[in-house]
Amino acid sequence: MTDLRLYRPRVSTWWWTRKRTYFVFVMRELSSIFVAWFVVYLLLFVYAVGRGEAAYQRFLDWASSPWVTVLNVVALVFVLLHTVTWFNLTPQAMAVHVMGQKVPAWHIVAGQYTGLVVVSGFVFWLVTR
Amino acid sequence: MSDGVMRAAHDVLIVGGGGAGLRAAIAIAETDPRLDVAVISKVYPMRSHTVSAEGGAAGVIADDDSLDEHCYDTVSGSDWLGDQDAIEAFVREAPEELLQLEHWGCPWSRRPDGRIAVRAFGGMKKMRTWFAADKTGFHMLHALFQTSLKYNEVRRYDEEFVTRLLVDDGRVHGVVAIGLMTGRIQAVTAKAVVLCTGGCGKVFPFTTNANINTGDGMALAYRAGAPLKDMEFVQYHPTGLPFTGILITEAARAEGGWLLNKDGYRYLQDYDLGKPSPTPELRSMELGPRDRLSQAFVHEVEKGRTADSPYGPIVHLDLRHLGEKLIDTKLPFVRELCLKYERIDPVHELVPVRPVVHYMMGGVHTDIDGATPLGGLYAAGETACVSINGANRLGSNSLPELLVFGSRAGRAAAEYASAAGSTPAVVEAQAADEVRRLERDLLGKGPGTESIAAIRDDMQATMEEAAGIFRTGPAMAKGADTLAELQERVGNVGLADMSRSFNTELLAALELANMLDISECILEAGMQREESRGAHQRTDFPARDDERFLTHLLVHRNPDGTSQVEHFPVTITRWPPGERVYGR
Amino acid sequence: MTRRRVEPLVWLMFSAGGVLAAVFLPILVLLFGLAFPLGWLDPPDHEHLLAVISHPVTLVVLLGLFVLMLVHSAHRFRYTLYDGLQIKAQRTVAVLCYGAAIVGSVATLAVLWSAAQAS
Amino acid sequence: MADSIRLRVSRYRPDTDSEPRWQEYDVPLRKEWTVLDGLNHVKNEVDTTLSFRWSCRMGICGSCGMNVDGEPKLTCGTFLSDYAPGPVMIEPLANFPVVRDLVVDLSDFMEKLPRVKPWIIREDDHRTVEPDVEYLQTPEELDAYKQFSMCINCMLCYAACPVYGLDPEFIGPAAVALAERYDLDSRDQGNRERLDVLIEHDGVWGCTFVGECTRVCPEHVDPASAIQRYKLKAAMETVKALLLPRGAR
Ligand SMILES: Cc1cc2nc3c(=O)[nH]c(=O)nc-3n(C[C@H](O)[C@H](O)[C@H](O)COP(=O)(O)OP(=O)(O)OC[C@H]3O[C@@H](n4cnc5c(N)ncnc54)[C@H](O)[C@@H]3O)c2cc1C
Ligand code: SF4
Ligand code: F3S
Ligand code: FES
């Protein structure tokens, strides 16, 4: 009788650099950092607004400093990655039925982009009015 | 056990985890939950060859259908060689079994009102073939396998290869098996053993069958002293893809596909199979029985009316007129297979096809309850010959056969096991012998002068030559001589692989030995049957001869390894032998 | 009855946060992160902003938005640490991630509340 | 087209090797040859000691999965010509313990599968048929679960899923797809029982929706979808249980 000597491969720490799809996945997940960053940023913004005109102005000055700008550009890229991937995955995550018929995936995706446009328009209107 | 042969003991041991084996296991678990049942299989059950079945399973359910009509189609399809008592039981129980499977979750295709849908099939006068699109066997097998998981009492030995039956005094007491992962050889004893090891298509070079279909169960039974029945009847399916031998299901023709020769002519009309009509007619033309269609192909080759391909002559299957929608709903797998393996889209193009070895009508001789003449040994499924298929099986009769006779054999084995005594001590010595044979004569032997693959190729070529769609006495005799030489040569095979773990070379050697024995039986029986009936067509005896051969042939193994053929009466109940009429 | 577990609820919040982040963040980052500070657009005047922010509806909306987005990112980051860096101290990671989200949520409440009082 | 192609095959023999090593073979390159045909050529003509699983050679038995150039593939449906001029790297399926050469150990899945109760559960648990009574199911009801019933247990999805690679406790894509298959079957009433299993920590929650399982699935089962849908269902059930305490369902 022989004992089984199984070879158990180890997953390397860098597994996600080996394949494009894995890499995109990890980038997608890292968008979470920038989501958190922007929540913090917005909080600082609200805080400044609450503190008065001068604080608000100081905030805007700080926000236009190069490093904050760079951070926000990167954040925008990751946030867009989040939006696109999230929209693309939604049809997989839920099956929507309307009158017994399964709604085709592209309808759901298109619906979300419509939502994006409407929400963006509304926010834009609200703050620039 | 002495000699360090590991041992496990059960009440009933089922060899094979395909449709028949799993059905038997569940039947036993349901009959008597106290019985200790085990299933041993050389592949994981869901890999068994039942998974490949495409077209469907016949069972009378439609309002305009009747049990008698299914019986008659099967009897005439068998060229009157099927046992009519078995056929009647089969036809009666098939719908119940199929419905049972429906209750176990099989996703049968449905009619708009939610009832089971049925389709036409070759040689059947009514629409009675249940189907799950064109992956019927896959869905049936997975439904059975998954359902079997709920019976905790069913023990499984997955990926264990049975090499021998343990027999004492005309009774079977278990098996010896090699665990593939560990290479461990162990004896598994049981009060009753049910062989459900499937077909043996791999004895031929060009077959729809999977790699595992090496007829192990037939060889095991034969060597243990149980006779094989009707081995000369090998079914050629008329529509296999060239090169791979992948099956294009008969359902493609049942849905309205045409067979065309190189001139685009529906040639079947020249072979007494009816007149062409635009929509499919039951028991006519493309919906004739498989033996007749395959024979017609050979005649077309002789007339020079087939097209050429790198892999021999072909004809065309035309599905274009069915339209994309029908193909995608009823025959999606056919389209997928054509696209992948032929790079052809059947929606727009003709599919090249040729006859291909598909099914073994013969097998281990059993009675209507799956019992073989050996005490405690049962068989069911393609490895068994009950027989309902006689000289030619009708498409879609095999899947329900697995269920009906799987259940029956399971129940009978359970009953036998409940009454049987304990395992005699002599089987220990036998098991030890077998371990020695495997370890010393095979694993320990070292390199030899012959290669497994070369002998296998020669065997397959010999069988195609000698036992093809048309046969002659002299060709079969010559084939038998070649097989005898191959039996010699196989003694000089050595194994380069001496490791224990997953030694597939050892398996190939054991399977080759099994296939050689089966090949000999096929030719032996073929030579004895001096007539033409169903799938056994002899150009030197072109007519059916009910006087001499309305009988089964049983091949027994003599102690010296030679074989001996015996006649065994066919049971006729209500349908006296008549002419097989199709298309009229 | 199903055993009560927190995973499903956290996951639900994660998903809700994901949806909100996907539809709200692009425009918010664009406007507040880049366009206003860099002067691509004239920043809204303080009074208008204060009015919007201190409106009770805005308060509730922003609170929901921020909290859910924080949970979203905490949850996602937690699994990124598990899988991407194969961090074995899973419990610690979870406590830190969700802890941060909770701290952030409390801060959100405080900031929003004080801003609302300011007007 | 060149007339031969090189296979770089991962070999591991537990009797002698402590870890896998590469071995190269040149095989004929023919347009109708699959990777499996190449391996069989090696097995029959070149090196009889190479071990791998295969059976149906038509993409339905699920036994021939291997990593081909790093992607989990059914080798019987993967053509050598797509990798010309080569070499083609052939490794055992990733994320599983290797038994020998290209053969991996599937016991983990075989143990997990029964946990999700992949069989029809009925309150009136019939063990035998009532003759003539069929459970009706309309084609639409069939379509609801059909896709998830196509799984051939080939394990490509497990080989592709990094989460499974990192945490073998994770029940994995195919098992959840099969649970979902029965949940969505109009004949089944076992949702509750399966939920109790999948709502556990090593059930669906480990999945971070990498989506690779779906991308590599040869049968278009879309297990990623099954898992996310399951999460939604589990979450809804939990909310319901919170809002309606004491089993008011
Ligand atoms: C391509 C194809 C399509 C078909 N389509 C149809 C159809 O549409 N309708 C129809 O009615 N019929 C069809 N058939 C026929 C039918 O599928 C088979 O006859 C049937 O599935 C055989 O089932 P079985 O249970 O007897 O054996 P299998 O399913 O072949 O199972 C055999 C089992 O035995 C085990 N085994 C074998 N040898 C050993 C050993 N030495 N030790 C341990 N275990 C062993 C194997 O592991 C396996 O589990 C088709 C056949 C083919 C090839
Ligand atoms: S879900 Fe797809 S990839 Fe996974 S085992 Fe099933 S068939 Fe294979
Ligand atoms: S790849 Fe793995 S993480 Fe989820 S979506 Fe598929 S199971
Ligand atoms: S050999 Fe069956 S799936 Fe490839």
Side-chain angles (χ1 to χ4, degrees):
Chain A
M1 188 187 141
T2 39
D3 281 312
L4 262 188
R5 282 185 56 222
L6 298 175
Y7 174 74
R8 294 176 192 276
R10 257 189 44 90
V11 179
S12 108
T13 312
W14 302 105
W15 60 269
W16 48 277
T17 58
R18 302 266 162 81
K19 203 146 87 178
R20 201 187 60 85
T21 44
Y22 287 161
F23 182 77
V24 172
F25 159 72
V26 169
M27 289 304 118
R28 184 189 93 193
E29 298 298 287
L30 284 181
S31 69
S32 59
I33 296 178
F34 297 94
V35 170
W37 151 249
F38 212 72
V39 170
V40 171
Y41 177 90
L42 285 175
L43 275 179
L44 293 174
F45 176 85
V46 173
Y47 180 67
V49 172
R51 293 280 298 274
E53 182 92 52
Y56 174 49
Q57 203 47 55
R58 272 201 305 283
F59 177 86
L60 286 180
D61 291 345
W62 170 76
S64 62
S65 67
W67 73 269
V68 178
T69 308
V70 169
L71 198 55
N72 280 342
V73 168
V74 177
L76 182 64
V77 171
F78 273 91
V79 161
L80 287 175
L81 176 69
H82 167 75
T83 301
V84 171
T85 51
W86 193 271
F87 284 180
N88 282 343
L89 291 177
T90 308
Q92 254 176 301
M94 48 204 259
V96 184
H97 291 266
V98 172
M99 299 195 305
Q101 287 284 331
K102 192 168 171 198
V103 179
W106 73 269
H107 283 190
I108 301 180
V109 176
Q112 295 179 103
Y113 278 106
T114 316
L116 177 71
V117 170
V118 171
V119 165
S120 304
F122 173 75
V123 170
F124 187 80
W125 169 80
L126 187 70
V127 296
T128 56
R129 192 164 49 129
Chain B
M1 200 179 247
S2 55
D3 291 304
V5 183
M6 298 285 295
R7 171 172 142 175
H10 299 280
D11 292 322
V12 185
L13 177 67
I14 293 159
V15 185
L22 292 171
R23 185 66 191 89
I26 298 175
I28 297 167
E30 288 192 331
T31 310
D32 187 351
R34 283 164 313 174
L35 285 178
D36 172 2
V37 195
V39 177
I40 189 165
S41 172
K42 68 176 173 179
V43 294
Y44 282 105
M46 68 275 184
R47 317 280 189 227
S48 302
H49 185 62
T50 300
V51 83
S52 307
E54 300 171 25
V60 172
I61 188 172
D63 297 333
D64 65 340
D65 200 359
S66 72
L67 297 180
D68 276 6
E69 281 179 283
H70 190 186
C71 286
Y72 179 79
D73 287 342
T74 306
V75 170
S76 57
S78 80
D79 220 345
W80 274 271
L81 196 69
D83 286 317
Q84 296 179 8
D85 55 342
I87 293 174
E88 286 188 74
F90 161 72
V91 165
R92 194 171 55 240
E93 290 166 29
E96 292 167 26
E97 284 288 344
L98 294 171
L99 209 54
Q100 173 69 79
L101 219 65
E102 191 265 346
H103 288 207
W104 285 336
C106 186
W108 296 117
S109 293
R110 304 285 179 149
R111 308 194 315 200
D113 64 358
R115 300 205 38 216
I116 302 286
V118 282
R119 64 164 41 131
F121 236 70
M124 303 268 191
K125 188 70 188 164
K126 287 282 159 62
M127 308 243 274
R128 61 169 73 100
T129 297
W130 303 36
F131 60 102
D134 54 358
K135 287 193 178 174
T136 310
F138 160 77
H139 285 298
M140 282 179 51
L141 184 68
H142 281 252
L144 280 169
F145 173 59
Q146 289 162 7
T147 300
S148 80
L149 296 175
K150 83 176 176 195
Y151 300 91
N152 295 324
E153 56 270 40
V154 178
R155 166 95 165 80
R156 277 210 331 273
Y157 298 88
D158 293 336
E159 298 201 317
E160 300 228 7
F161 184 95
V162 173
T163 66
R164 172 166 180 177
L165 294 175
L166 298 169
V167 192
D168 177 52
D169 196 21
R171 285 167 166 251
V172 171
H173 297 284
V175 305
V176 174
I178 308 175
L180 299 190
M181 286 237 284
T182 56
R184 188 173 72 196
I185 304 169
Q186 68 171 342
V188 182
T189 59
K191 293 173 181 156
V193 172
V194 190
L195 291 173
C196 301
T197 50
C200 59
K202 282 282 158 182
V203 304
F204 288 86
F206 187 62
T207 173
T208 60
N209 282 201
N211 184 40
I212 59 169
N213 286 9
T214 50
D216 300 347
M218 297 176 197
L220 289 170
Y222 179 62
R223 279 188 219 125
L228 303 182
K229 182 163 72 189
D230 295 343
M231 292 297 284
E232 63 277 32
F233 297 102
V234 177
Q235 178 165 78
Y236 277 76
H237 193 294
T239 57
L241 294 179
F243 178 59
T244 57
I246 288 172
L247 177 78
I248 296 302
T249 171
E250 192 162 289
R253 282 170 281 131
E255 296 298 342
W258 297 329
L259 282 173
L260 308 178
N261 67 15
K262 76 165 192 241
D263 310 319
Y265 173 68
R266 289 175 72 185
Y267 60 91
L268 293 177
Q269 58 191 293
D270 297 356
Y271 301 95
D272 195 20
L273 282 158
K275 291 277 152 281
S277 61
T279 50
E281 289 229 17
L282 296 156
R283 265 181 85 107
S284 168
M285 291 294 291
E286 281 83 2
L287 288 181
R290 292 174 180 175
D291 53 343
R292 301 278 295 273
L293 265 59
S294 295
Q295 290 150 19
F297 172 89
V298 178
H299 293 307
E300 285 295 293
V301 176
E302 283 159 2
K303 291 182 192 160
R305 301 204 296 190
T306 50
D308 289 322
S309 86
Y311 303 98
I314 50 141
V315 288
H316 286 114
L317 178 65
D318 187 356
L319 305 178
R320 296 170 302 181
H321 54 285
L322 302 183
E324 185 162 5
K325 184 148 178 271
L326 186 138
I327 292 177
D328 280 346
T329 50
K330 298 263 182 74
L331 305 166
F333 194 36
V334 166
R335 189 173 187 193
E336 186 189 318
L337 290 170
C338 291
L339 282 169
K340 197 189 279 174
Y341 293 98
E342 294 288 332
R343 295 164 206 219
I344 272 177
D345 186 351
V347 172
H348 308 292
E349 289 162 283
L350 295 171
V351 183
V353 292
R354 54 170 286 203
V356 51
V357 169
H358 182 57
Y359 183 85
M360 176 42 116
M361 267 73 75
V364 182
H365 168 49
T366 74
D367 68 9
I368 196 167
D369 287 311
T372 72
L374 277 187
L377 184 66
Y378 296 77
E382 191 168 338
T383 207
C385 179
V386 178
S387 92
I388 63 161
N389 299 313
N392 171 63
R393 170 179 76 98
L394 292 188
S396 78
N397 263 356
S398 172
L399 290 174
E401 177 184 358
L402 308 178
L403 302 173
V404 169
F405 292 99
S407 291
R408 281 178 161 255
R411 289 194 301 264
E415 202 171 307
Y416 179 92
S418 310
S422 58
T423 311
V426 287
V427 304
E428 295 191 11
Q430 276 187 26
D433 267 358
E434 178 66 1
V435 174
R436 256 193 305 280
R437 176 180 84 94
L438 294 170
E439 290 194 334
R440 202 178 48 208
D441 302 353
L442 277 165
L443 277 172
K445 187 164 144 204
T449 51
E450 290 283 354
S451 113
I452 296 174
I455 298 180
R456 192 171 53 210
D457 287 349
D458 288 351
M459 171 195 73
Q460 291 172 337
T462 306
M463 290 305 285
E464 176 161 74
E465 188 62 33
I469 297 175
F470 287 98
R471 306 157 169 190
T472 65
M476 285 187 282
K478 184 161 160 266
D481 291 342
T482 314
L483 288 180
E485 286 163 26
L486 294 178
Q487 289 279 24
E488 299 266 304
R489 280 171 61 192
V490 93
N492 299 326
V493 163
L495 300 186
D497 189 351
M498 280 182 271
S499 53
R500 288 306 189 107
S501 173
F502 230 96
N503 188 333
T504 46
E505 192 183 19
L506 172 63
L507 286 203
L510 293 167
E511 289 173 339
L512 177 61
N514 290 342
M515 290 192 288
L516 279 171
D517 283 1
I518 291 168
S519 302
E520 290 187 325
C521 292
I522 294 174
L523 293 188
E524 201 58 47
M527 285 185 287
Q528 297 276 334
R529 186 175 287 278
E530 295 177 328
E531 64 157 353
S532 291
R533 183 188 296 271
H536 178 69
Q537 292 292 315
R538 287 188 59 164
T539 44
D540 47 354
F541 294 94
R544 192 172 93 187
D545 183 351
D546 286 343
E547 284 289 284
R548 291 170 64 209
F549 288 108
L550 185 58
T551 173
H552 299 294
L553 297 183
L554 299 185
V555 189
H556 292 268
R557 184 172 184 273
N558 294 323
D560 65 354
T562 58
S563 57
Q564 183 186 318
V565 178
E566 178 196 44
H567 288 211
F568 187 84
V570 172
T571 309
I572 309 263
T573 57
R574 290 155 56 200
W575 296 274
E579 195 198 345
R580 285 174 83 195
V581 179
Y582 292 98
R584 304 185 242 138
Chain C
M1 209 187 94
T2 322
R3 246 190 297 154
R4 294 223 189 120
R5 300 200 57 105
V6 283
E7 260 115 342
L9 298 177
V10 175
W11 180 82
L12 211 53
M13 291 173 78
F14 156 79
S15 301
V19 176
L20 295 175
V23 292
F24 280 99
L25 276 190
I27 184 73
L28 290 177
V29 178
L30 197 60
L31 289 179
F32 293 95
L34 298 170
F36 297 147
L38 299 183
W40 302 346
L41 287 173
D42 285 339
D45 58 66
H46 179 254
E47 211 164 315
H48 172 58
L49 275 179
L50 198 58
V52 171
I53 282 174
S54 54
H55 193 281
V57 173
T58 322
L59 186 130
V60 172
V61 167
L62 286 185
L63 183 65
L65 197 63
F66 288 4
V67 169
L68 288 173
M69 289 199 304
L70 283 172
V71 174
H72 168 85
S73 84
H75 185 74
R76 213 175 215 187
F77 193 59
R78 167 188 167 206
Y79 279 101
T80 314
L81 290 180
Y82 289 177
D83 301 339
L85 294 180
Q86 298 191 32
I87 292 183
K88 294 284 171 276
Q90 300 212 340
R91 191 164 282 271
T92 320
V93 169
V95 168
L96 286 178
C97 288
Y98 295 126
I102 292 171
V103 169
S105 301
V106 172
T108 306
L109 188 60
V111 168
L112 288 176
W113 186 253
S114 70
Q117 301 308 307
S119 66
Chain D
M1 192 151 82
D3 53 3
S4 88
I5 187 165
R6 176 157 299 180
L7 309 183
R8 291 193 78 203
V9 181
S10 169
R11 301 290 312 264
Y12 170 67
R13 270 171 294 184
D15 305 3
T16 51
D17 303 344
S18 59
E19 60 177 16
R21 56 193 172 73
W22 294 105
Q23 189 159 346
E24 301 198 337
Y25 305 99
D26 289 324
V27 301
L29 179 59
R30 308 227 173 94
K31 95 171 184 310
E32 57 283 300
W33 272 30
T34 60
V35 171
L36 181 61
D37 291 316
L39 290 172
N40 270 322
H41 175 84
V42 172
K43 177 86 182 163
N44 292 334
E45 315 287 336
V46 188
D47 182 350
T48 56
T49 67
L50 180 66
S51 271
F52 49 94
R53 292 189 180 101
W54 70 286
S55 182
C56 70
R57 58 80 182 85
M58 57 192 277
I60 188 79
C61 75
S63 43
C64 67
M66 298 170 207
N67 268 36
V68 181
D69 269 4
E71 274 280 295
K73 291 276 188 192
L74 290 181
T75 48
C76 70
T78 305
F79 289 82
L80 283 174
S81 52
D82 294 339
Y83 294 84
V88 196
M89 267 202 322
I90 306 172
E91 295 166 277
L93 280 181
N95 298 340
F96 290 95
V98 183
V99 176
R100 152 100 193 247
D101 298 343
L102 300 167
V103 178
V104 295
D105 178 12
L106 302 178
S107 354
D108 181 53
F109 175 73
M110 297 307 284
E111 180 272 317
K112 279 173 178 160
L113 181 61
R115 277 204 249 153
V116 303
K117 304 189 193 238
W119 51 77
I120 295 278
I121 299 173
R122 307 271 296 183
E123 272 145 25
D124 53 347
D125 188 20
H126 300 290
R127 282 207 153 189
T128 44
V129 202
E130 290 169 56
D132 298 341
V133 185
E134 57 185 276
Y135 301 153
L136 299 184
Q137 184 165 68
T138 63
E140 293 75 41
E141 286 170 327
L142 178 63
D143 277 344
Y145 69 91
K146 183 92 203 195
Q147 177 184 18
F148 299 131
S149 74
M150 303 308 279
C151 173
I152 61 173
N153 302 354
C154 66
M155 299 294 103
L156 301 194
C157 52
Y158 285 73
C161 174
V163 172
Y164 179 67
L166 294 164
D167 177 14
E169 295 296 304
F170 171 42
I171 196 143
V176 181
L178 282 165
E180 188 70 352
R181 174 246 175 276
Y182 282 95
D183 269 9
L184 293 174
D185 191 320
S186 58
R187 296 165 293 186
D188 177 83
Q189 300 165 334
N191 294 21
R192 268 258 90 88
E193 292 182 37
R194 291 186 201 99
L195 186 67
D196 286 343
V197 177
L198 290 176
I199 205 166
E200 288 298 323
H201 180 70
D202 49 12
V204 286
W205 306 112
C207 163
T208 46
F209 209 168
V210 180
E212 282 292 283
C213 49
T214 290
R215 205 175 56 79
V216 301
C217 175
E219 302 298 319
H220 313 293
V221 171
D222 198 354
S225 161
I227 302 178
Q228 314 320 312
R229 286 166 67 171
Y230 211 96
K231 288 179 186 167
L232 188 60
K233 184 156 62 182
M236 288 313 178
E237 288 297 324
T238 309
V239 170
K240 242 191 252 170
L242 277 181
L243 298 182
L244 307 169
R246 58 181 72 251
R249 245 182 42 89

